[in-house]
Amino acid sequence: MTDLELDNRLYLVTAANSGIGNEIVNALLRAGAEVLVTTRSNEWVGGKGGRLTHITADLLSAHDCAQVSAKLSKLHNFSGVVHVAGAWVPGNITEVSSVDFESAISVNLKTAYNILKVSLPLLRSRGGGSIVTIGSMLGLSPVPNSIAYSSAKAALIQFTKSLALDEGRYGIRCNCVCPGLVDTEQTQNVFQNDKWVEVLTQSYPLGRLGKPSDISGAVRFLLSDAASWMTGLVIPVEGGYLLSSETPSAQ
């Protein structure tokens, strides 16, 4: 077994029914891990059986999070959490309603609080593990018309750092991966517009926008023993975007 393999470990992956989350699940399975997936919908497109289990859960519901915790408590090899849940909310401060702003905070931050509050005690009792939250490069450097989303992801970054400080004594590592613009079902309004893709690509020194596999590789590394002395880190996976001075408006 190499340091990057995840054999005989089980990870909880939230909001994994599409895009980045689904690719993370597949990457962990390829690395030998077992995966418990949560989705808010009863529909799960990734299959069942073998080393993958699906449970329906709304992570804003304390009851549903308790159900997930109860499931995890029965699994002897629970080793960590990848928290993917989040939602894009566009607009500037005059355009974003108070309801939408609160929703952005809830979906991007409170879901992390709710699920980790019930799963971290299990990791403590088992001698440690690894947490990876999925932030955004906009939590590090916002673009215009992203005030709700950028604020929520910035808060998630500090939340993850705080977890790293508190949980290190229990052998639990906590890191945040911050993707750039990635081609998923949720970003097709951008990726189906060739002109807009061309404009955006100019802001990426590596000359292309992201793929879900770009993010899953970083997550797999952070969960593995190869990252055993890494915690409290914020890792941008964004093709060098943050090096650029150009910031096209979010659409």
Side-chain angles (χ1 to χ4, degrees):
M1 177 176 176
T2 70
D3 285 349
L4 285 172
E5 290 176 348
L6 303 174
D7 292 339
N8 301 315
R9 303 178 190 182
L10 180 138
Y11 294 96
L12 170 66
V13 182
T14 67
N17 217 14
S18 62
I20 290 172
N22 192 262
E23 177 56 32
I24 288 171
V25 170
N26 291 328
L28 299 189
L29 291 172
R30 290 193 297 268
E34 297 178 50
V35 182
L36 175 63
V37 173
T38 73
T39 63
R40 191 168 56 179
S41 166
N42 288 327
E43 293 185 6
W44 164 242
V45 300
K48 298 180 181 179
R51 293 181 289 112
L52 189 147
T53 305
H54 168 245
I55 182 171
T56 302
D58 179 352
L59 300 185
L60 290 175
S61 163
H63 174 269
D64 285 9
C65 288
Q67 293 291 102
V68 175
S69 178
K71 181 73 173 179
L72 290 171
S73 68
K74 299 175 182 178
L75 303 171
H76 71 281
N77 55 345
F78 177 44
S79 301
V81 179
V82 183
H83 182 67
V84 185
W88 165 248
V89 177
N92 63 41
I93 194 167
T94 62
E95 296 166 338
V96 175
S97 69
S98 61
V99 171
D100 287 342
F101 190 86
E102 289 174 5
S103 176
I105 299 298
S106 292
V107 176
N108 291 288
L109 180 63
K110 190 175 180 181
T111 54
Y113 168 83
N114 284 350
I115 195 61
L116 292 174
K117 186 177 181 68
V118 299
S119 56
L120 276 167
L122 297 174
L123 290 177
R124 289 180 181 182
S125 69
R126 296 172 189 195
S130 181
I131 305 296
V132 177
T133 58
I134 303 300
S136 170
M137 68 179 185
L138 301 189
L140 296 167
S141 182
V143 298
N145 300 315
S146 68
I147 191 166
Y149 183 78
S150 295
S151 298
K153 289 300 189 180
L156 181 65
I157 287 168
Q158 294 303 319
F159 175 85
T160 307
K161 289 183 174 182
S162 295
L163 281 181
L165 280 173
D166 294 340
E167 301 302 318
R169 73 191 72 180
Y170 303 105
I172 300 171
R173 298 183 296 107
C174 306
N175 295 289
C176 184
V177 170
C178 290
L181 183 59
V182 175
D183 188 358
T184 69
E185 293 87 341
Q186 289 75 33
T187 57
Q188 288 309 293
N189 63 315
V190 172
F191 280 86
Q192 290 180 358
N193 185 326
D194 292 341
K195 184 176 180 180
W196 189 231
V197 168
E198 182 180 354
V199 170
L200 285 170
T201 299
Q202 295 173 8
S203 298
Y204 286 76
L206 287 182
R208 68 171 177 87
L209 304 182
K211 302 176 293 186
S213 58
D214 294 321
I215 311 307
S216 65
V219 171
R220 173 183 171 180
F221 168 73
L222 288 171
L223 294 175
S224 75
D225 291 342
S228 62
W229 209 41
M230 298 173 67
T231 195
L233 297 182
V234 180
I235 300 181
V237 183
E238 37 65 85
Y241 176 90
L242 294 174
L243 298 172
S244 173
S245 60
E246 298 179 28
T247 56
S249 296
Q251 299 296 306

